[in-house]
Amino acid sequence: MERAHTICQDGVSSGGVLAHLERLEAQVNKSHKKSEELQSAQAEESALETKIHQLRHIRDKLRAEVKQRQARANASSANVEPDQTVEISEQDVLERKQENMKAILQAYHFTGLSGKVTSRGVCVCISTAFEGNLLDSYFVDLVIQKPLQIHHHSIPVFIPLEKIAAKYLQTDIQHFLFSLCEYLNAYSGRKYQADQLQSDFAALLTGPLQRNPLCNLLSFTYKVDLGDRSFPFCARLLYKDLTRTLPTDVTVTYQGMEALSTAWEKHRASHETLFCTVPLHRVFASFSREGEKLDLSLS
Amino acid sequence: MDAQRAEVRALEAEIAALQRACEELPAPWEGTARVRKSFQETHQSDSKRWESSKDLKSHLGHLKSELSFLSTLTGFNIRNYTKQTEDLAKTEMTEEGIKKVLQRHRLSGNCHMVTFQLEFQILEIQTKENLSSVITDLNIIMEPTEYLELSEFVSRAEERRDLFMFFRSLHFFVEWYEYRKRTFKHFKDKYPDTVHLSEGSCSSCMEIHSARRPGFELVIVWRIQMDEEGKVSPKLDLLTKVPGRALELDRNRVIETAPQNFRTLLGVLGIEAALESLIKLLCAEND
């Protein structure tokens, strides 16, 4: 500290005062620091308090839940009137069995094919899903008589039900049902992709998505932006195989005025391949992600 | 503050232990967790419903026949099923009006000679507008494991969490498998000296050779394929083994083009007739 030296050279013994001042300054700094620390500690403390509060709340809820479940589990082995003991335990076993069977009956839904016996025959329920998303269910009410007949159903009119029935219903009912499953699941999957495209990626489309009820013919225009240039494309997807969720024929055409550069021609071709191999909404998800990547790869 | 941090840690540990305890204790069957009856209540109301255990037994009989019917209808025999429901609102801070329920299912059974064990999770999210159910995890164990085509297919189904595709494709696979077995057995029974199934009727190869034509052997390889979308289709190939001398005499290259021609033959005659015509080639002098 220069000041201290200058003053000392004068011979005045105020090194003591300065030292005192220095000590005071240090003390002030220290107390400032302390108060800051104290403030942040207090803030942390109050945050911890809130967290403890929340955790206590969750813990109390869980304690109550466990208690309830424990009570139920204990009740099952609780003492019963002595004279009813024998009867009830047989009933107990039978009821357990009943619960188990009912559960297994319900579980058949998870195979995608389930049914309930009716007075006339059987009502079959077909469930559909796509990529883990559980979608619509359909039913077919069959009358058991010779010949087997479809009483009524909720199958959409554009699914070739009569064709499949004519082929399999009388000879192999399992084949009929699983074949119907194939068609319905594929339809559900195509519909899901088209719906997702319309709802989540409308920003990338430059016009409305044209689709037919069977969702096996889709036509749309989209653009890929690169800086200030916009590359418009038109895509036509045809799903000839109604038991598939991916198209069989894809055409992507460039809609701009000028001719397409070779780099962009490669892109156009790669888009065609993408639409053939990847579900529609996921192709567009990759488009929106790669928007920035394209900027870097092409100059 | 250390005391507070210690309390937070203790609370978190307690919550984790309570969650584990919750999982181990049976959850109610009903998905709507609000409806809870203690076992005694359920028990008492049921015992009022059943006049005697005779009624219960007959009801059980009905259930059993329904199950047997479903098993025949679908081709799947489900032996065991358990379900656990976890109301996520208890452990997650969810917004107002959104209900999240995680269901854990365990299912096991068989489809003809294949036994399966599945564990999957379904997340149900209920908002004011709609209810969505998504399969968030799928684990499949299948036996027997020597069907290579099946194991590849299983990992694809798990990856896609496509539960229904698994069952659908399993059905078609088993159908083709049984058909192949029946067909091979039929030909073995009809032409016992000419047709040989080295791995038994479950094998994927049928060898045709006869003592009357030593050195000549035709092998039909019949594979059951599954593509990425789970579609099952048969793939048949013909392998030939002929003595060197015969090859020299074969100026029309019949042997060389045999595999190709076999595929054409399949398309024209269908599997059974095509196989029979090949068998007849090598046992022309039998009866």
Side-chain angles (χ1 to χ4, degrees):
Chain A
M1 290 276 266
E2 297 243 284
R3 273 182 294 157
H5 283 156
T6 346
I7 292 172
C8 269
Q9 272 168 9
D10 280 321
V12 182
S13 63
S14 44
V17 174
L18 266 168
H20 187 66
L21 276 175
E22 277 171 39
R23 278 200 296 278
L24 276 177
E25 194 178 338
Q27 256 186 348
V28 166
N29 283 340
K30 219 177 171 185
S31 77
H32 267 162
K33 220 177 166 190
K34 253 206 177 133
S35 83
E36 269 173 17
E37 277 174 9
L38 193 63
Q39 272 186 349
S40 69
Q42 278 176 341
E44 199 183 332
E45 237 182 77
S46 67
L48 278 174
E49 272 304 330
T50 338
K51 188 158 188 190
I52 289 180
H53 236 74
Q54 287 177 339
L55 287 175
R56 280 200 191 130
H57 181 65
I58 294 177
R59 181 215 43 200
D60 292 342
K61 279 217 269 191
L62 279 174
R63 269 191 187 162
E65 176 73 25
V66 171
K67 216 171 162 188
Q68 252 188 343
R69 291 191 185 194
Q70 192 69 53
R72 198 179 303 119
N74 287 343
S76 66
S77 50
N79 292 332
V80 183
E81 307 293 324
D83 49 324
Q84 292 180 301
T85 310
V86 176
E87 228 181 273
I88 284 173
S89 59
E90 196 204 344
Q91 200 150 346
D92 188 4
V93 167
L94 291 177
E95 278 180 12
R96 277 272 162 84
K97 233 178 164 182
Q98 184 197 45
E99 292 294 324
N100 198 28
M101 283 188 169
K102 274 203 220 164
I104 294 182
L105 270 176
Q106 285 294 97
Y108 268 94
H109 277 104
F110 294 118
T111 64
L113 193 63
S114 170
K116 248 188 126 72
V117 178
T118 63
S119 52
R120 283 180 297 260
V122 60
C123 184
V124 179
C125 176
I126 297 174
S127 314
T128 63
F130 185 68
E131 294 192 330
N133 295 282
L134 300 180
L135 304 168
D136 296 326
S137 295
Y138 304 88
F139 75 87
V140 179
D141 206 341
L142 292 168
V143 182
I144 308 253
Q145 53 177 226
K146 279 222 154 72
L148 210 58
Q149 267 179 25
I150 299 175
H151 182 72
H152 64 287
H153 63 85
S154 67
I155 313 283
V157 66
F158 39 79
I159 301 281
L161 177 61
E162 290 79 32
K163 199 173 91 181
I164 305 169
K167 220 170 164 186
Y168 302 116
L169 184 58
Q170 307 306 331
T171 49
D172 189 346
I173 190 173
Q174 254 184 32
H175 204 141
F176 165 73
L177 291 174
F178 280 101
S179 188
L180 202 51
C181 272
E182 269 189 327
Y183 278 86
L184 287 171
N185 270 281
Y187 161 66
S188 245
R190 292 193 302 268
K191 181 164 171 291
Y192 178 80
Q193 291 174 64
D195 290 342
Q196 290 291 104
L197 177 60
Q198 275 183 305
S199 62
D200 291 357
F201 301 102
L204 288 168
L205 296 178
T206 55
L209 169 68
Q210 293 180 333
R211 54 195 277 188
N212 63 342
L214 188 49
C215 288
N216 76 325
L217 180 56
L218 302 177
S219 181
F220 51 90
T221 52
Y222 63 102
K223 58 178 164 57
V224 180
D225 287 324
L226 184 62
D228 55 343
R229 288 203 60 195
S230 195
F231 294 82
F233 290 102
C234 173
R236 184 175 171 274
L237 276 62
L238 176 62
Y239 303 71
K240 266 201 212 136
D241 188 346
L242 295 181
T243 60
R244 287 192 189 274
T245 54
L246 287 173
T248 49
D249 300 291
V250 171
T251 349
V252 174
T253 48
Y254 176 60
Q255 295 218 295
M257 291 292 125
E258 357 41 63
L260 204 55
S261 67
T262 30
W264 274 98
E265 171 54 36
K266 276 208 197 119
H267 272 279
R268 189 203 60 79
S270 76
H271 286 191
E272 274 184 356
T273 317
L274 269 178
F275 285 127
C276 276
T277 50
V278 176
L280 187 54
H281 58 301
R282 294 213 264 125
V283 176
F284 273 85
S286 73
F287 281 171
S288 49
R289 273 198 307 271
E290 284 188 4
E292 298 85 48
K293 270 202 233 162
L294 269 178
D295 256 307
L296 298 169
S297 63
L298 292 176
S299 42
Chain B
M1 209 157 56
D2 283 336
Q4 283 180 314
R5 290 212 192 93
E7 190 173 352
V8 167
R9 277 198 295 276
L11 279 170
E12 284 174 345
E14 195 179 346
I15 287 173
L18 283 169
Q19 278 174 330
R20 277 196 299 275
C22 239
E23 275 174 43
E24 277 163 37
L25 290 168
W29 286 116
E30 275 66 34
T32 45
R34 302 288 161 242
V35 179
R36 291 191 204 287
K37 285 175 163 191
S38 73
F39 181 82
Q40 290 227 300
E41 281 176 15
T42 322
H43 182 63
Q44 278 165 0
S45 64
D46 277 359
S47 50
K48 285 191 209 113
R49 247 194 292 146
W50 302 115
E51 305 287 341
S52 62
S53 58
K54 238 201 225 162
D55 275 348
L56 185 53
K57 277 196 188 131
S58 78
H59 185 69
L60 270 179
H62 282 150
L63 283 174
K64 211 167 181 181
S65 60
E66 249 194 274
L67 274 177
S68 149
F69 173 76
L70 264 184
S71 175
T72 314
L73 184 74
T74 61
F76 303 122
N77 184 22
I78 300 181
R79 294 186 204 280
N80 231 324
Y81 171 68
T82 56
K83 169 180 162 183
Q84 281 181 333
T85 309
E86 188 183 323
D87 189 350
L88 290 181
K90 288 201 158 80
T91 46
E92 269 181 33
M93 292 286 155
T94 45
E95 302 113 54
E96 209 43 62
I98 297 184
K99 216 162 66 167
K100 277 191 190 175
V101 175
L102 184 67
Q103 302 170 347
R104 287 201 185 84
H105 305 264
R106 239 182 228 156
L107 203 159
S108 63
N110 71 295
C111 176
H112 286 252
M113 74 292 172
V114 175
T115 56
F116 49 80
Q117 231 179 295
L118 282 84
E119 267 182 40
F120 53 97
Q121 289 184 5
I122 297 183
L123 179 63
E124 260 186 20
I125 301 180
Q126 171 121 53
T127 60
K128 287 202 187 78
E129 297 95 45
N130 63 357
L131 168 70
S132 79
S133 295
V134 184
I135 300 172
T136 52
D137 191 39
L138 176 59
N139 279 304
I140 304 171
I141 302 173
M142 273 217 296
E143 309 238 321
T145 47
E146 56 253 24
Y147 302 127
L148 295 165
E149 308 109 322
L150 277 181
S151 50
E152 202 185 275
F153 154 70
V154 161
S155 39
R156 213 180 289 135
E158 284 179 336
E159 212 180 274
R160 299 234 187 113
R161 292 162 286 127
D162 205 334
L163 186 59
F164 299 154
M165 176 188 94
F166 165 74
F167 278 110
R168 225 169 34 243
S169 305
L170 180 60
H171 163 83
F172 284 118
F173 177 87
V174 168
E175 240 190 36
W176 275 110
Y177 179 88
E178 295 287 318
Y179 174 60
R180 178 177 71 188
K181 195 167 150 187
R182 274 198 312 273
T183 311
F184 279 174
K185 186 167 184 303
H186 161 79
F187 285 125
K188 176 72 186 161
D189 291 342
K190 195 169 174 187
Y191 306 96
D193 298 320
T194 317
V195 171
H196 304 269
L197 303 170
S198 52
E199 292 156 44
S201 53
C202 301
S203 69
S204 57
C205 294
M206 181 173 87
E207 293 143 30
I208 306 171
H209 53 86
S210 154
R212 294 175 196 274
R213 300 262 191 279
F216 285 86
E217 189 174 318
L218 297 175
V219 178
I220 314 276
V221 182
W222 184 345
R223 273 183 281 260
I224 304 172
Q225 288 187 323
M226 297 171 126
D227 70 10
E228 316 84 53
E229 285 204 61
K231 297 211 73 186
V232 185
S233 53
K235 186 162 188 295
L236 286 91
D237 285 304
L238 174 66
L239 301 174
T240 57
K241 192 167 110 184
V242 294
R245 180 88 178 92
L247 267 176
E248 287 167 29
L249 292 172
D250 179 18
R251 263 172 254 117
N252 291 330
R253 292 163 63 238
V254 171
I255 307 291
E256 209 180 297
T257 57
Q260 182 64 33
N261 292 334
F262 174 61
R263 271 187 224 118
T264 318
L265 194 66
L266 277 176
V268 171
L269 293 180
I271 295 178
E272 284 177 44
L275 291 185
E276 184 139 30
S277 64
L278 282 178
I279 297 171
K280 288 215 172 112
L281 267 180
L282 283 189
C283 69
E285 273 138 42
N286 283 359
D287 29 67

